[in-house]
Amino acid sequence: MRTVVVAFVAFAALTACSSGDEPAKAPSSSAAPKPKPAPSSTNAAAASLDPCKLLPADAVSKALFLDNLTAVPGPVQDNAANGGKGRSCEYQHDGKAAGALAVTRYEGKQGKPAEMVASIKKAKPGAQDVPGFPDGAVYYVDGQKTATLASAELVAGTPVLINYTGPAKVTAEQIAPLVKQALAAS
């Protein structure tokens, strides 16, 4: 979905100034085991960010007042330019799209969730702050076609952007509990 692409672009702008990665330090003989747990915990955290598991179809059904929604994995949307690794879950009602949850991890990047949200707000005219999120959230309608609510957090030290996109008629009040549930489950 275009929303994931916009999120990638927004975060790329945020991280453009800090594109120089520090080289990995060679472990000393006495500290060799210490660096290894961090990558495995990061890998475990990354593996647990399956959007369809973070936000089951029944939760979306209740929020949108639709029966018989199904959740299917969406396309992988990795972006080499900004390091984003995007996964999505598409929610369908009678074969028609009812929305999608996108989870994008920025492994190896540093970023503050509040700055990520602010960059999206700046990039989207008319975006509105949504209260009740620790690091902020924004809601916007894109071209009168889709509505999106996006928030971010750190998961095992990795910046993660989570957004739900649905039809333009879906309100921030309907989407906010869905994004909160996905954030809590991540």
Side-chain angles (χ1 to χ4, degrees):
M1 300 191 105
R2 288 182 354 160
T3 302
V4 174
V5 173
V6 169
F8 288 143
V9 171
F11 191 72
L14 177 67
T15 59
C17 295
S18 63
S19 62
D21 293 346
E22 289 184 32
K25 295 179 183 177
S28 67
S29 60
S30 63
K34 192 163 187 160
K36 297 211 180 221
S40 66
S41 66
T42 301
N43 290 340
S48 70
L49 295 179
D50 176 355
C52 291
K53 290 181 182 175
L54 295 178
L55 186 63
D58 62 334
V60 179
S61 291
K62 288 177 188 173
L64 301 182
F65 307 107
L66 295 172
D67 293 330
N68 304 320
L69 273 181
T70 57
V72 296
V76 171
Q77 296 189 6
D78 292 348
N79 186 321
N82 67 16
K85 296 183 185 276
R87 305 295 179 266
S88 63
C89 184
E90 297 177 354
Y91 302 93
Q92 299 175 352
H93 181 254
D94 295 332
K96 295 180 183 176
L101 180 74
V103 177
T104 306
R105 299 178 325 279
Y106 296 93
E107 295 173 8
K109 300 288 182 184
Q110 291 184 354
K112 295 180 181 173
E115 291 172 354
M116 294 169 67
V117 172
S119 70
I120 294 170
K121 184 177 179 183
K122 185 177 179 181
K124 289 300 193 178
Q128 304 166 350
D129 289 319
V130 179
F133 290 83
D135 292 305
V138 294
Y139 170 84
Y140 59 91
V141 177
D142 208 3
Q144 301 299 321
K145 294 182 181 179
T146 60
T148 300
L149 194 143
S151 189
E153 68 178 348
L154 292 177
V155 176
T158 298
V160 176
L161 178 70
I162 295 181
N163 64 290
Y164 184 90
T165 300
K169 65 182 178 181
V170 179
T171 67
E173 291 77 18
Q174 289 175 298
I175 301 175
L178 300 176
V179 174
K180 284 181 180 179
Q181 181 174 341
L183 285 166
S186 61

